[in-house]
Amino acid sequence: MDQAAIAAMLGEAAIFARLSPEALLACAAEFREQRFDQGQMLFARGDAGDRLILVAEGRVRLAVTTEDGRELSVRHAVGGELLGEIAVLDGGARSADAVALTAVLAYSLRRAPFEQLVARYPALSAGIIAFLCRRLRQTTDQLEGIALYSIEVRLARFLLVGLAGRKPAPGKRVPLDMAFSQGELAQLLGASRPKVNAALGSLEQAGAIHRTADRIFCDPDLLAKLAGIGDG
């Protein structure tokens, strides 16, 4: 992947979004290619946060594990998304495990050159603030969903995020590829697998989704109504 392609992905990330095209290319030049096999760990909780990672292809799971072996998925990072930002920013240890759910092509930026780029491009500081605010909002929304909403509402909202605003043709549903297992979906929603399966059944009975072996066909308007958001 050339530097222009890396720069284009950086331009979509909150930290780098305020930079000029020339500055984005300069930042892209500092990233180094890394490849990970399916199941390989990118980093572990407690590791030194010495690099920022840009996922170009594939899917990475960020999760925390308790001492008794219970695991909770925090989020998934896919192509065009950054991960490992917090530890790079504060110099602390990694706060979660990062594992490749598929083969992953990524680009990494060490902390020292990242700090040099921040000093060189003041707009990066504003981007960092925007990123931290966004991450705080996401965390608040996640906690609110787990604490206050039923599993059906949480699932409907999760599917709407996956649709990313796509609208179907009249009388049609929007297909959504399920790139991970039902067990993984349960971890992301903070629920058990049986409860997620029951919630999927409820959404299907309501006509908001239709399931096949590897896809879910969604009606965004019905999902929004069931989720209690939008015009529904």
Side-chain angles (χ1 to χ4, degrees), residues 5-6 9 16 20 68 79 96 103-104 107 110 128 163 170 191 206-207 212 219 223 228:
I6 298 172
M9 287 191 291
F16 296 90
S20 68
D68 60 1
V104 170
Y107 294 88
R110 293 285 181 181
I128 290 169
L163 294 175
T212 63
D219 183 325
L223 281 175

Side-chain angles (χ1 to χ4, degrees), residues 95-116:
S95 58
D97 298 331
V99 178
L101 292 178
T102 65
V104 170
L105 168 63
Y107 294 88
S108 64
L109 175 64
R110 293 285 181 181
R111 188 164 187 255
F114 176 71
E115 290 178 336
Q116 293 169 3

Side-chain angles (χ1 to χ4, degrees), residues 128-149:
I128 290 169
I129 293 172
F131 155 73
L132 292 173
C133 290
R134 179 181 297 181
R135 182 56 53 83
L136 180 59
R137 289 179 187 273
Q138 290 171 342
T139 301
T140 300
D141 289 345
Q142 188 175 25
L143 290 173
E144 178 187 24
I146 292 174
L148 301 179
Y149 297 119

Side-chain angles (χ1 to χ4, degrees), residues 16-40:
F16 296 90
R18 289 169 169 76
L19 296 182
S20 68
E22 295 78 15
L24 287 171
L25 283 171
C27 291
E30 299 294 333
F31 280 78
R32 299 293 178 263
E33 181 179 311
Q34 289 189 288
R35 292 182 181 270
F36 302 91
D37 296 328
Q38 183 178 5
Q40 185 175 354

Side-chain angles (χ1 to χ4, degrees), residues 72-87:
L72 174 66
S73 290
V74 179
R75 69 182 179 98
H76 286 186
V78 295
E81 295 185 0
L82 292 169
L83 56 90
E85 309 99 324
I86 297 296

